[in-house]
């Protein structure tokens, strides 16, 4: 029973803290002009978006872990993964708290991208063409605009499984607005 009490206390403290912050924000609203309110709304939307990205990344990691466990129990590679299992390991995309930058993590390294650069990557990943054509465009963009990516993610060419995994992750993590 002690565990339930501790959990209830923590939840109560979080609710009280949230209510206190919300009360303070409500008190500040009358003092803000429309530009300040618009800024707060935009920041709230960015924060909500980042929370969704974080949840999607956690779900992707959990799904990959479950697929790996299933494959190891079955004694074979997971369906549709082939040699890309090594490429999929430790890939993750996170947004900064401000929403102005994003990080592609590979193993213990990361590469930072601006919001505009990440938008460009997502557009390339969701572009027209075959999977190979999309990977070629993404590889060429990295080669032209951000060669530092190759130092963190050792992508050899457009046929590299790591590039294929990155394209899939970009498509799964971000949706283009119409």
């Amino acid at each position: 029973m002690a565990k339930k009490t501790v959990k209830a206390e923590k939840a109560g403290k979080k609710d009280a803290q949230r209510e206190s912050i919300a009360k303070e924000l409500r008190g500040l609203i009358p003092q803000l002009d429309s530009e300040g309110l618009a800024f707060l709304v935009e920041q709230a939307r960015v924060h909500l978006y980042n929370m969704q990205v974080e949840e999607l990344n956690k779900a992707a990691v959990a799904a990959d872990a479950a697929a790996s466990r299933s494959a190891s129990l079955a004694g074979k590679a997971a369906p549709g993964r082939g040699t890309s299992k090594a490429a999929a390991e430790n890939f993750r995309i996170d947004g900064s708290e401000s929403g102005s930058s994003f990080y592609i993590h590979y193993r213990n390294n990361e590469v930072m991208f601006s919001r505009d650069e990440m938008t460009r990557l997502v557009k390339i990943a969701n572009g027209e063409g075959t999977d190979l054509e999309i990977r070629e465009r993404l590889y060429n963009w990295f080669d032209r605009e951000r060669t530092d990516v190759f130092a963190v993610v050792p992508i050899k060419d457009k046929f590299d499984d790591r590039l294929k995994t990155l394209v899939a992750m970009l498509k799964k993590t971000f949706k283009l607005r119409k």
Side-chain angles (χ1 to χ4, degrees), residues 26-45:
R26 283 191 295 271
L28 292 172
I29 289 174
Q31 299 171 30
L32 294 172
D33 61 4
S34 59
E35 185 178 316
L37 287 172
F39 174 77
L40 289 177
V41 168
E42 180 62 25
Q43 289 301 305
R45 288 182 180 145

Side-chain angles (χ1 to χ4, degrees), residues 131-141 158 163:
D131 182 51
L132 188 58
E133 290 170 335
I134 290 169
R135 284 187 277 154
E136 182 175 25
R137 283 194 297 270
L138 187 59
Y139 181 86
N140 289 340
W141 189 88
K158 66 183 180 182
L163 190 60

